[in-house]
Amino acid sequence: MLQSIEYRNSPRRSYWFGGHNFQQPQGMLHLRHRLQRAPPQKLLCRFCAMMGKLQSKLKHSTYKYRPDAVIEERIPARALQDYSPAHVDAVSAVAALDSDLCVSGGNDQTVVVYNWKTGNVVRRFQGHEHEITKIACVYKSKQFFSASRDKKVLMWDLHGSSQPSQRFSGHAMAVMGVAVSPDSAQLCTGSRDNSLLLWDVGTGQCVERASVSRNLVTHLCWVPREPYVLQTSEDKTVRLWDSRGLQVAHIFPAKQHIQTYCEVSEDGHKCISCSNGFGGEGCEATLWDLRQTRNRICEYRGHFQTVASCVFLPRALAWMPAIATSSHDCKVKIWNQDTGACLFTLSLDGSGPLTSLAVGDTTSLLCASFSRGIHLLRVDHSRGLELREVAVF
C-alpha cells in the first residue's frame, strides 16, 4: 500500500512503499495532485513509472559549476576500469599508505592493503570481532592501525605476519577515533565511552587517560609537527588536546549539529570539521584557525545529508587552496577554501553514504562508500577543474 506523509512547514512529501521512503523534490509538486486523482488500480503503475524516470535522470549526474553560478553543465560519464573488489561489505574508512597503496576497513571486519594503480589486493588482515570504524597511518610508513566496534585497536605491519603486531585494549565501548603521532611513537584513541587514551606504540601500554562527560568521540586527527590532537564529538564541539598530559587545550564554539569528522592542514595552521544533518539543515563543513585567534574562518554549505569526511587538497591537485567533502547524499564536492564557493560536484549515485575520503596522489582521490566499495577519482584540468570516477574496487 502506498502511504504519504507531508512534512510540517515544508512543500516536500515522503511516499512509503514496500518499506522504502521516497522523498518528493519540490520540482515534482504536481505529482501529488496526479496521484491523488488517480484511480487506485493505476496508482502503483504511475508511481513506479515516475521513480524509474527519476532514477534514470539522476544516474551518473556529474556537474561542473560555472563561475557565474548561473548554470550547471552536464559532464558525460566514462567507462570504469576493471578492478578487483577490496571488500565484500560496506567500507567505513580508507587512508593512503603511499602513492600506490591504500589501506581500508569496513563491515567485513577485514583490513585490506590495496594497490589502487594496478587494481589488486596486496594483503588482507583479519583480527577484529566487529566492524572496523577507522583506519590511521603515517604516510609512507609500513605500519597502520584499525579501530573497531569490538572496543580494540590493532596495529598491523605491511611486511609482517598476518597477526596484529600490537593490540590496544582499554575502552569500554566502540572505538570511533584513532590518530598516530607523526613519529609513530604514540597513538591516541577515542571512544563512545567519553574517553581518550594515549598509548606507547612500542610497548602497547596506556600512558594517559582522560574523560569528559558526554564527549562521545566521533573522530581524531593528529596535528602535524605538534603535540596536539584534534577531536570531534557528538556533543557538537571540536576539542584540541595537548598530548603532554592529555589535557584539553582549546574548545571551539559549539555548532548546531553533531561534528562527525575532522582534518588538519599539512602546515598545521587550519582544520576542518564536518557536521551531520538532513535535508540541507546542518550538513556543512567548517574551516577553523588553529593558531592564536582560533576563530571560524569559513563554512561550506551545499550537501543535503550528513557530511562524513573532508580533506585538504594539495596545491598540485587543485591549483588553488581547496578542500573536498563527501556526504551521505552520494556526492563529493570540491570547494574554494577561501570563499566557500562550490567548484565542482561529483554524484556517485547508487553508492549509498560516502563514508571516507583520502588523497591518493597529486591527481587522485579515494572515496569509500557503503554500497559500492572504494571509488578512485581523478582530477582533470583539461576543462578547468573536474572530478571524474575512473575505477571502483
Side-chain angles (χ1 to χ4, degrees), residues 308-329:
S309 187
C310 54
V311 292
F312 286 90
L313 299 183
R315 184 62 65 91
L317 193 152
W319 294 357
M320 67 179 71
I323 68 169
T325 56
S326 65
S327 167
H328 288 184
D329 62 11

Side-chain angles (χ1 to χ4, degrees), residues 84-91 104-112 121 124 126 369-374 393:
S84 302
H87 296 272
V88 297
D89 207 335
V91 183
S104 58
N107 289 2
D108 61 4
Q109 307 171 21
T110 303
V111 178
V112 176
V121 172
R124 293 185 186 273
Q126 291 184 309
S369 71
F370 191 84
S371 302
R372 291 183 58 211
I374 302 171
F393 56 91

Side-chain angles (χ1 to χ4, degrees), residues 87-129:
H87 296 272
V88 297
D89 207 335
V91 183
S92 55
V94 62
L97 203 54
D98 59 32
S99 60
D100 298 301
L101 304 179
C102 67
V103 56
S104 58
N107 289 2
D108 61 4
Q109 307 171 21
T110 303
V111 178
V112 176
V113 178
Y114 198 95
N115 188 317
W116 52 270
K117 289 189 174 178
T118 64
N120 295 306
V121 172
V122 176
R123 292 200 64 179
R124 293 185 186 273
F125 298 91
Q126 291 184 309
H128 285 292
E129 299 169 4

Side-chain angles (χ1 to χ4, degrees), residues 283-351:
C283 315
E284 81 272 0
T286 306
L287 182 68
W288 306 90
D289 192 341
L290 279 176
R291 292 169 291 184
Q292 292 182 354
T293 60
R294 292 178 177 168
N295 292 330
R296 186 182 70 188
I297 302 174
C298 190
E299 287 188 333
Y300 311 93
R301 297 179 177 272
H303 285 293
F304 286 91
Q305 293 187 38
T306 294
V307 181
S309 187
C310 54
V311 292
F312 286 90
L313 299 183
R315 184 62 65 91
L317 193 152
W319 294 357
M320 67 179 71
I323 68 169
T325 56
S326 65
S327 167
H328 288 184
D329 62 11
C330 299
K331 291 178 174 59
V332 178
K333 289 180 178 287
I334 296 180
W335 311 83
N336 184 307
Q337 179 181 301
D338 298 329
T339 66
C342 180
L343 304 175
F344 192 83
T345 297
L346 175 66
S347 223
L348 299 173
D349 302 302
S351 296

Side-chain angles (χ1 to χ4, degrees), residues 91-251:
V91 183
S92 55
V94 62
L97 203 54
D98 59 32
S99 60
D100 298 301
L101 304 179
C102 67
V103 56
S104 58
N107 289 2
D108 61 4
Q109 307 171 21
T110 303
V111 178
V112 176
V113 178
Y114 198 95
N115 188 317
W116 52 270
K117 289 189 174 178
T118 64
N120 295 306
V121 172
V122 176
R123 292 200 64 179
R124 293 185 186 273
F125 298 91
Q126 291 184 309
H128 285 292
E129 299 169 4
H130 293 288
E131 304 98 312
I132 293 168
T133 57
K134 295 292 167 63
I135 295 288
C137 63
V138 174
Y139 190 69
K140 293 188 176 180
S141 170
K142 303 304 178 184
Q143 295 177 330
F144 38 92
F145 303 83
S146 57
S148 171
R149 294 187 181 276
D150 63 10
K151 312 173 190 177
K152 300 180 181 66
V153 174
L154 303 180
M155 183 173 77
W156 310 91
D157 192 318
L158 177 61
H159 302 302
S161 72
S162 59
Q163 298 299 313
S165 54
Q166 197 67 269
R167 299 174 183 267
F168 307 90
S169 301
H171 286 290
M173 298 183 71
V175 182
M176 304 304 294
V178 57
V180 57
S181 62
D183 61 2
S184 300
Q186 292 182 305
L187 187 73
C188 188
T189 61
S191 167
R192 292 184 61 83
D193 63 8
N194 306 323
S195 72
L196 266 69
L197 304 182
L198 189 68
W199 307 83
D200 183 292
V201 171
T203 64
Q205 298 298 311
C206 180
V207 295
E208 298 286 353
R209 178 187 292 265
S211 182
V212 176
S213 177
R214 293 185 292 183
N215 181 33
L216 281 74
V217 176
T218 56
H219 193 71
L220 293 174
C221 180
W222 207 290
V223 180
R225 297 178 295 279
E226 297 287 348
Y228 296 106
V229 178
L230 194 69
Q231 179 239 317
T232 50
S233 171
E234 286 194 13
D235 67 3
K236 307 176 184 178
T237 64
V238 181
R239 291 180 174 85
L240 187 66
W241 293 80
D242 190 334
S243 63
R244 300 164 296 187
L246 207 57
Q247 300 290 325
V248 176
H250 182 72
I251 303 177

